Amino acid sequence: MTTIGATMRNELIGLGGFVERNVYLTKRYILWDIAFMIWTIANTLTIVFIARVENLPKAKENELATILLVGAVIWAFLGIIFEFMTETVAWERWEGTIEYTFMAPVSRTMHLFGQGAFAVLYGLIRATILFFAVAAFIGLHVPHANYGAAFALLAIASVSFIGVGMMTSVLPLISPEKGAQLGFVAQGVMLVVSGVYYPVSVMPHWMQLIAKISPATYVLRGDRASIVSGAGMRWADVWPLVVIAIASMPIGLTIFRIGERHAKRHGKLKRSG
Amino acid sequence: MSAFAAPTALGTSVRGDVPAVEVDNLTKVFRRRDPKAGRFTRRRLPALKKVTFTIERGECVAILGQNGSGKSTLVRLLSTLLLEDGGEARIFGHDAFREARLIRRLVNRVSVEASFFKKMSAQENLSYAARFYGMTPAQTRTAIPEILAKVGFPPERRTESMMNLSRGMQQKVALARALLTSPVLLLLDEPTTGLDPRSKREVQEFIREVRRTHDATILLCTHDMAEAEALAERVGLLDRGELLFLEPVAEVKRRYGVETLEEAFFAATGRSFEEEQDEDDELREVFG
Ligand SMILES: Nc1ncnc2c1ncn2[C@@H]1O[C@H](COP(=O)(O)OP(=O)(O)O)[C@@H](O)[C@H]1O
Ligand SMILES: [Mg+2]
C-alpha cells in the first residue's frame, strides 16, 4: 500500500472511532435519551398548539400547525448538531479524556467530521420520531408531503450545520468556563434570523440580510414547502446551501485549528479553571 | 498481531541513528491570574527553564520532582499537547512541535489520573482509542483481551463500566491503552501516585516487563524516589522548572557524597524533598 493510501485508511478508521464512541455513549445513556425525547416532544407541542388559538378554518389551522411543527423539528435537529459539536471539547474535558484524543494521530478534520457525522445521523432519527409523534398527537393532516425532498434538503444543510458547529465547538477551548453557553447563543441567533416559526419577511431589514447567509433559512423554507404542499427540491434552496457548505467547512476547521493552537500555547486544553 | 509488535508504518519514522529524545533549552512559561495583584493582572510563571537532556533509544529515564516542579509540563510538551516558549525537542529526530502528526504515532502516555469515559467499559474505552491509531475492529478483537491479560486485568470485568473499577484497576487499563498502540516512546507521568501498595507493585512490575519485552524508550516522571531508583537507568531531578542533574544514581550519590537520593536532593537544593513548598511557591499548585 502506498503511504497516502495507508494514511487515508488510518484516517477513515479514526473517523469510525469517533462514531463508535458515540454509539457506546448513546447506549449507556439511553434512558436519558428517552427522557430528553419526551421533553422535546412536550416542548414542540407547546408551540404547535398555538395554531389552535386563533380559531382558524380547519385547513388554515392545519397549515399553520405544519409550519410551526417544521420549525420546531428543525430547531431540535440543529440543537442536536450544535450540542454534539460543542461537546467535542466540553464533554471530553469533563471526562478527562481530552488530552488523549488530542494527542492521537488522527486529523482534526476526521475528528470533527466524525463527531458531526454521528450528530447528523442521530439528529435525523430524532427529528423523524419527533415529527411523526407530534403530527399523530395533534392529528395533523399532511397528505401531499414530499418527505424524500424534505429529508434530502435537510441532509444537504447538515454539512453547513457541521461547519458552523465547528466554529462554535472551539469556544470551550478558548473559554473553559463559558464556551459551551456561547454555543447555545450561536444556535439561538441562527434560528431567530432564519425564520424558525415565521417568514423571514416579517423581520427588520437588517435581520433579513443576515438570514441570507444562514443555512437554516433555506432548509426551513424548502422543507416547509415540501411538507405543506409537496414541493420537490428547488434549486433556489439547494444552491445557497451548497455554497454555504463549501465555505463553512474550511472556515470552521481553520477557526478550530487556531483555537487549538491558542489552547496549546496557554495550557488550556486540560485546565478546568 | 501481537499486542507488543510495532506497526510496520512506524518503520520509516523511527530512525536508528538518533537518540530517542533530545531536549534542548526547552522553556515553557504560563500566565496565571495573580490573586494578590488583582483580578486582571497576570503573572508569568516559568514552568520549565532551559531544560536540556537526551534519552537514548531503549533507555528508561526517571525524572524526579516535587509537585509543581514541571514534570507534567515536560510530558505534555513531548506529547504535542503544549507548544514551547523556547528551545527545542526532537523525538527520534523529528521536531516535536512542527511534526506533530508524525510524533503522535510514536508516543503514548499514562498520566496520574486515569482519564476514561467512566460510563463506558474498559473494552469500549480501549476500542475507540485504538481506532484513532488506525487499528481495525478485527485487530482490536484479539489485541485488547491480550493486552488486558498482560497488565493483569481480570477478563470478566472487561465489559463492566469503568466507574465501578478501583483506581488500581483503572490505572492498569490506562497502561493497556498506552501499550495497545505500540508506542516507541512511552511517557509515564506519576503512574503509581495514589495507588495502594499492592497495585503500585503490580504496575511497577509491569513497567519492568515492558522493558524486557518491548522495544520502547521510557520517560518516567515521579515523586517516588524508590520507584525512580528501582526502575530507571538514569535519574534526573527537576526543581522549580530547572533540571539539576540527570545521571545514573550511583554517580549522583558519588558526586554529592551521599547515601540516598533524598540526601542528594537536600545537597542540591538546600531543602528536604518531603518538605512543604515555601511561601513564594504559593502559585505553584498541581495540575495533574
Ligand atoms: N495549564 C496550565 N496553566 C497554568 N499554569 C500551569 C499549567 N500547567 C502547569 N502549570 C504550572 O506550572 C508549574 C508546573 O506544573 P506541572 O508541570 O504540572 O508540575 P508537576 O507535574 O511536576 O507537579 C506549576 O506551577 C503549575 O501551577
Ligand atoms: Mg504532574
Side-chain angles (χ1 to χ4, degrees):
Chain A
M1 213 186 309
T2 62
T3 328
I4 293 175
T7 310
M8 285 289 288
R9 182 172 167 276
N10 286 346
E11 287 287 321
L12 287 176
I13 297 172
L15 180 130
F18 287 101
V19 175
E20 179 178 346
R21 180 169 79 187
N22 279 306
V23 171
Y24 294 146
L25 285 172
T26 308
K27 260 198 322 214
R28 298 282 171 163
Y29 287 92
I30 193 76
L31 285 177
W32 183 88
D33 266 311
I34 293 170
F36 182 41
M37 189 75 230
I38 294 170
W39 178 81
T40 314
I41 291 174
N43 204 9
T44 304
L45 281 172
T46 64
I47 294 156
V48 177
F49 271 125
I50 292 173
R52 297 219 174 139
V53 174
E54 293 289 325
N55 266 323
L56 298 166
K58 206 77 206 137
K60 265 283 163 207
E61 180 193 305
N62 195 60
E63 187 184 325
L64 179 57
T66 311
I67 287 173
L68 292 176
L69 177 55
V70 170
V73 168
I74 305 271
W75 180 295
F77 178 72
L78 205 61
I80 295 285
I81 298 199
F82 274 78
E83 193 183 320
F84 265 85
M85 295 308 285
T86 308
E87 271 173 10
T88 301
V89 168
W91 193 345
E92 287 220 73
R93 185 184 266 127
W94 178 71
E95 293 274 15
T97 53
I98 186 159
E99 292 194 319
Y100 289 88
T101 303
F102 276 72
M103 66 182 272
V106 59
S107 69
R108 212 51 71 218
T109 312
M110 289 301 146
H111 178 179
L112 297 174
F113 215 77
Q115 201 71 9
F118 183 83
V120 168
L121 220 69
Y122 176 85
L124 284 176
I125 294 172
R126 284 187 67 102
T128 308
I129 296 174
L130 177 64
F131 182 89
F132 288 105
V134 173
F137 193 95
I138 61 164
L140 205 66
H141 191 57
V142 278
H144 309 295
N146 184 344
Y147 294 115
F151 212 75
L153 197 66
L154 195 55
I156 298 174
S158 299
V159 183
S160 350
F161 290 161
I162 295 175
V164 179
M166 286 176 185
M167 300 178 205
T168 57
S169 64
V170 78
L171 293 169
L173 267 190
I174 296 163
S175 166
E177 302 109 331
K178 306 271 158 45
Q181 284 86 328
L182 285 173
F184 293 119
V185 174
Q187 179 202 347
V189 169
M190 182 165 179
L191 284 159
V192 166
V193 302
S194 307
V196 60
Y197 299 122
Y198 38 81
V200 169
S201 58
V202 304
M203 295 187 299
H205 183 65
W206 64 270
M207 285 173 87
Q208 295 189 31
L209 289 181
I210 307 176
K212 285 202 197 316
I213 56 165
S214 162
T217 304
Y218 305 98
V219 74
L220 280 162
R221 186 171 79 188
D223 274 10
R224 254 178 211 142
S226 297
I227 302 289
V228 175
S229 48
M233 269 212 284
R234 290 173 309 189
W235 182 237
D237 295 326
V238 172
W239 77 257
L241 285 176
V242 171
V243 170
I244 297 170
I246 291 172
S248 66
M249 276 285 162
I251 296 175
L253 273 170
T254 306
I255 291 180
F256 197 93
R257 288 217 182 89
I258 293 170
E260 184 175 343
R261 265 193 87 76
H262 172 88
K264 287 181 175 171
R265 186 144 302 291
H266 299 288
K268 290 196 174 168
L269 218 49
K270 180 60 187 297
R271 260 185 96 199
S272 49
Chain B
M1 182 178 120
S2 152
F4 281 151
T8 43
L10 289 183
T12 47
S13 19
V14 181
R15 290 166 49 189
D17 56 340
V18 288
V21 180
E22 293 165 279
V23 168
D24 184 20
N25 275 310
L26 192 58
T27 299
K28 182 71 205 167
V29 182
F30 289 111
R31 266 196 293 281
R32 294 275 303 276
R33 220 171 256 162
D34 188 343
K36 285 181 197 136
R39 206 176 126 89
F40 296 106
T41 329
R42 306 263 153 165
R43 179 164 141 179
R44 285 164 54 85
L45 195 115
L48 281 186
K49 301 177 199 163
K50 300 204 167 204
V51 167
T52 301
F53 66 91
T54 309
I55 304 179
E56 294 306 324
R57 185 169 184 170
E59 206 184 6
C60 177
V61 162
I63 303 270
L64 272 168
Q66 292 172 306
N67 275 340
S69 57
K71 303 183 297 296
S72 298
T73 301
L74 175 62
V75 165
R76 290 194 172 107
L77 282 163
L78 294 179
S79 48
T80 75
L81 293 168
L82 279 178
L83 289 169
E84 86 289 14
D85 290 314
E88 283 185 52
R90 303 183 87 67
I91 292 172
F92 290 95
H94 302 287
D95 189 318
F97 308 114
R98 257 126 320 256
E99 295 176 83
R101 284 294 291 288
L102 213 152
I103 299 296
R104 288 175 184 162
R105 290 227 147 265
L106 309 178
V107 177
N108 215 328
R109 151 177 183 249
V110 176
S111 54
V112 60
E113 69 283 358
S115 317
F116 290 104
F117 278 83
K118 292 166 225 21
K119 280 241 185 184
M120 283 164 37
S121 67
Q123 167 102 32
E124 289 168 340
N125 271 292
L126 295 185
S127 287
Y128 86 72
R131 299 294 168 257
F132 299 167
Y133 290 77
M135 291 177 81
T136 61
Q139 287 171 313
T140 49
R141 218 173 345 263
T142 49
I144 290 174
E146 242 175 72
I147 196 108
L148 282 173
K150 282 209 173 94
V151 297
F153 185 90
E156 71 281 3
R157 306 196 65 181
R158 246 179 19 226
T159 52
E160 212 175 289
S161 153
M162 291 284 294
M163 62 190 179
N164 299 337
L165 303 177
S166 66
R167 274 269 294 128
M169 280 296 166
Q170 293 191 10
Q171 205 60 342
K172 285 179 184 173
V173 183
L175 274 168
R177 170 174 60 192
L179 284 163
L180 187 59
T181 66
S182 309
V184 279
L185 174 64
L186 190 56
L187 304 169
L188 304 174
D189 190 2
E190 310 209 26
T192 64
T193 300
L195 295 190
D196 59 275
R198 184 170 154 214
S199 308
K200 192 169 183 155
R201 263 199 316 279
E202 284 174 348
V203 168
Q204 289 171 348
E205 194 39 57
F206 183 68
I207 295 170
R208 268 197 206 94
E209 148 116 23
V210 170
R211 296 222 49 210
R212 274 196 304 273
T213 54
H214 195 232
D215 170 33
T217 306
I218 299 179
L219 173 65
L220 168 69
C221 290
T222 177
H223 62 238
D224 184 328
M225 291 191 159
E227 178 171 289
E229 195 165 352
L231 294 176
E233 282 136 30
R234 286 188 298 151
V235 173
L237 176 62
L238 198 57
D239 184 48
R240 298 170 175 181
E242 281 177 80
L243 188 65
L244 300 184
F245 56 74
L246 178 59
E247 50 200 5
V249 177
E251 232 159 273
V252 176
K253 291 179 181 167
R254 191 173 48 74
R255 196 146 59 83
Y256 290 101
V258 293
E259 298 291 313
T260 65
L261 281 175
E262 276 89 346
E263 290 166 344
F265 182 86
F266 186 79
T269 66
R271 286 174 291 121
S272 106
F273 192 68
E274 304 301 334
E275 194 176 284
E276 279 301 308
Q277 312 264 309
D278 50 38
E279 272 290 285
D280 208 35
D281 277 356
E282 213 170 77
L283 272 173
R284 292 177 179 268
E285 54 209 60
V286 209
F287 277 95

